[in-house]
Amino acid sequence: MTAFASSIGGGAVEDFVGRTVTNCRTHNEPFSYFGVDLGKDRTLLPTCYTIRNRNSSTHVMLNWHFEASNDKVNWTLLDRRVFLTGDSAWDAQFEADTKQLCVKGATSTWGIDTELYRELGFEGFRYFRVVQVGKNSSGSDNLALAGFELYGRVIKGRWP
């Protein structure tokens, strides 16, 4: 498996899939992303994913898409999280989630509605990415993450 990113503003792209809480982030660019390539002849049908905040409580991702692809060009939306909408009633519903997301080094796991695979098919995907789709907790477009894990059913390939 290899990691990739839209840009690197701090840390190394490998920090995105590492086990150490670091200060990995992209440049301050809209729609910044981090992703993984499972490798040739490997596909996964994810059921959930885990993200870990960097070693800081600033620039925390609050709005994102979790996407999958088989060609790294055409992306399929598997999950969408929007916490900072500007609508105080809507944002209040997610206050507990938002607080958890802002904890230094915290992890959070998000489920995927697997019913969408009935439409998309059950062949799995090779590439996965987390795309920041709104400003972070500090009001910028830096995507700051220091951990990512995928869970699901292996469709094709082997892992050591």
Side-chain angles (χ1 to χ4, degrees), residues 7-119:
S7 63
I8 294 294
V13 71
E14 296 81 19
D15 295 338
F16 174 61
V17 292
R19 295 278 183 203
T20 305
V21 179
T22 63
N23 281 315
C24 184
R25 64 176 169 76
T26 66
H27 289 291
N28 186 11
E29 303 166 339
F31 302 104
S32 293
Y33 61 83
F34 282 109
V36 294
D37 174 0
L38 299 182
K40 187 178 177 190
D41 299 323
R42 291 182 180 166
T43 61
L44 178 80
L45 204 57
T47 55
C48 61
Y49 61 101
T50 298
I51 55 175
R52 182 177 56 229
N53 292 344
R54 69 185 187 133
N55 192 22
S56 176
S57 59
T58 64
H59 295 84
V60 176
M61 176 179 70
L62 298 174
N63 305 288
W64 71 88
H65 288 174
F66 174 59
E67 300 174 336
S69 175
N70 280 313
D71 60 9
K72 210 174 173 186
V73 174
N74 300 294
W75 293 91
T76 301
L77 179 65
L78 298 182
D79 188 44
R80 177 175 62 148
R81 302 291 164 164
V82 178
F83 293 94
L84 255 176
T85 65
D87 177 339
S88 59
W90 177 261
D91 290 342
Q93 292 178 346
F94 298 103
E95 187 175 346
D97 285 339
T98 302
K99 283 182 183 177
Q100 176 60 31
L101 289 170
C102 291
V103 173
K104 185 190 285 190
T107 60
S108 49
T109 300
W110 306 92
I112 296 166
D113 181 1
T114 56
E115 285 298 310
L116 68 94
Y117 298 137
R118 293 188 190 286
E119 259 183 57

